[in-house]
Amino acid sequence: QAQADSRVSVTWGQTTKAVDTGSDGNWAVSFTSAELPPPGSSTVVASATTGAGTSPQASRTVTIQEPPLPVPVISPVTGDNQVSDAEKAAGVTVSGTAPANSSVQVTWGSTAKSATADASGQWNALFASAEIPAPGQTVVAAVASLNGRTSDQATLTVTVQAPLPPAVPTINPVSGDNQISLQEQDSSVSASGSAEAGSSVQVSWGQVSKTTTADASTGAWTVDFDPSQIPGAGDTVLTAVATARGLSSDPATVNVVVEAPPPPPNAPVINTVSNDDTVYDYELSSEEGVTVTGTAPPGATVNVTWIAVEKSVQADSGGGWSVFFTLDEVPDSLGSSVISAKAVVGGVESVAAERT
């Protein structure tokens, strides 16, 4: 306020402005941002002029505060603000922009990192796996400072994903066709497939479980089952489960048919020996031995045993067979003795037939 109807001259810094008062003596002038003195303490000086002359100067000290630094910008973390378990394991870099050459304090969870913005304002901070917060919604914060000035805090919400179990492993066809033949059962059978690289793979077949490690590069795995570990004949199930990070996959399964051996052939029939199952001396002398005959499955091998002597013969197309025991091969003791015979087809032996 000044004398009514006076002209007031106002100086602030390098700018002087003049304004006329009204009948009430009130006055006001405006200074643009460009006209203000630099930040710090400065003085506003005013004097009023009338026809009677100019008044003494009035002054007031004014402090202009430094403006805050611009708030830093935090770029999307891992591109989508979603940190997978694999990304966490490798460590995550948080980056963004801030005033050139400013110091940037970046906080994520309970860990704070210091970074420096380069001449173009770019900054980054690496958080090791152990420094990344536990799974869930987390906040990354950044504050810039330069020449005693500090920005407001920038924040960004980042989701740290819970670890996922390994994918279900794959199982290759066992023995090429998931059929285990009798011949294949005589040697080891390999089961193979793929799983998460480096994971532990438990493979179970029947009552036997085996554990192996998937290849660190390709994820391939293989286990061998010895003949004694192959399940019994019929429909069987082979399963594989992968484990990593303390988590297990769902099981992979494949049906495997184990071939059953053929049923044993029917026991052969031993015909009556010497017409009445009694061998007399004169019969032995005249024949110089004894002929034993019978029937069996056509083509079968018939193993005939009389005490300590065994003879083998193949049944003909009608199933008939015959073996001859010489005088030296016929038991020389008087009394009863047993003749036994077994038929063999495809390596499978029948029960014994006997005749006394």
Side-chain angles (χ1 to χ4, degrees):
Q1 192 173 34
Q3 184 173 328
D5 299 320
S6 63
R7 187 166 185 79
V8 178
S9 176
V10 184
T11 301
W12 193 5
Q14 302 300 314
T15 303
T16 299
K17 298 202 173 189
V19 64
D20 294 327
T21 64
S23 58
D24 56 3
N26 290 329
W27 59 270
V29 292
S30 296
F31 290 82
T32 67
S33 175
E35 295 169 335
L36 296 177
S41 180
S42 59
T43 302
V44 179
V45 178
S47 60
T49 301
T50 63
T54 301
S55 70
Q57 288 183 334
S59 65
R60 180 176 294 277
T61 300
V62 178
T63 299
I64 299 177
Q65 294 181 341
E66 289 270 6
L69 284 180
V71 177
V73 174
I74 306 172
S75 301
V77 176
T78 67
D80 57 3
N81 293 326
Q82 301 281 329
V83 179
S84 69
D85 189 63
E87 291 169 331
K88 179 179 179 181
V92 173
T93 296
V94 178
S95 61
T97 58
N101 304 314
S102 64
S103 295
V104 183
Q105 185 173 50
V106 188
T107 304
W108 193 5
S110 60
T111 302
K113 300 268 184 173
S114 293
T116 300
D118 61 20
S120 63
Q122 303 293 321
W123 59 266
N124 62 75
L126 174 63
F127 287 80
S129 178
E131 298 171 328
I132 297 172
Q137 280 202 333
T138 66
V139 175
V140 175
V143 175
S145 58
L146 181 65
N147 298 329
R149 300 162 60 199
T150 301
S151 73
D152 289 335
Q153 179 175 265
T155 60
L156 181 67
T157 299
V158 178
T159 299
V160 178
Q161 298 175 349
L164 298 174
V168 177
T170 64
I171 304 174
N172 299 327
V174 180
S175 236
D177 57 1
N178 292 328
Q179 305 275 336
I180 311 300
S181 68
L182 291 173
Q183 182 178 3
E184 290 169 330
Q185 293 175 45
D186 290 336
S187 57
S188 295
V189 173
S190 294
S192 63
S194 62
E196 180 179 308
S199 64
S200 173
V201 183
Q202 184 177 52
V203 185
S204 301
W205 192 15
Q207 302 301 311
V208 179
S209 291
K210 300 203 169 190
T211 300
T212 187
T213 300
D215 185 270
S217 298
T218 65
W221 59 264
T222 301
V223 295
D224 294 327
F225 290 85
D226 296 335
S228 63
Q229 298 170 327
I230 298 172
D235 292 333
T236 67
V237 177
L238 187 144
T239 65
V241 175
T243 300
R245 301 172 295 282
L247 299 172
S248 296
S249 71
D250 289 335
T253 63
V254 63
N255 294 323
V256 181
V257 177
V258 178
E259 182 182 1
N266 293 328
V269 173
I270 305 173
N271 295 333
T272 303
V273 178
S274 294
N275 297 319
D276 57 2
D277 289 336
T278 301
V279 180
Y280 296 97
D281 284 342
Y282 73 86
E283 292 175 320
L284 286 173
S285 299
S286 63
E287 299 292 336
E288 297 185 350
V290 176
T291 298
V292 178
T293 64
T295 58
T301 297
V302 183
N303 297 321
V304 185
T305 303
W306 196 355
I307 305 299
V309 178
E310 181 176 296
K311 303 265 186 172
S312 293
V313 65
Q314 185 173 15
D316 61 27
S317 60
W321 58 268
S322 172
V323 294
F324 181 74
F325 289 85
T326 67
L327 288 174
D328 292 337
E329 296 170 335
V330 175
D332 58 5
S333 60
L334 297 177
S336 298
S337 60
V338 176
I339 299 173
S340 67
K342 295 180 180 179
V344 180
V345 176
V348 182
E349 190 176 63
S350 74
V351 297
E354 295 183 345
R355 181 169 288 275
T356 301

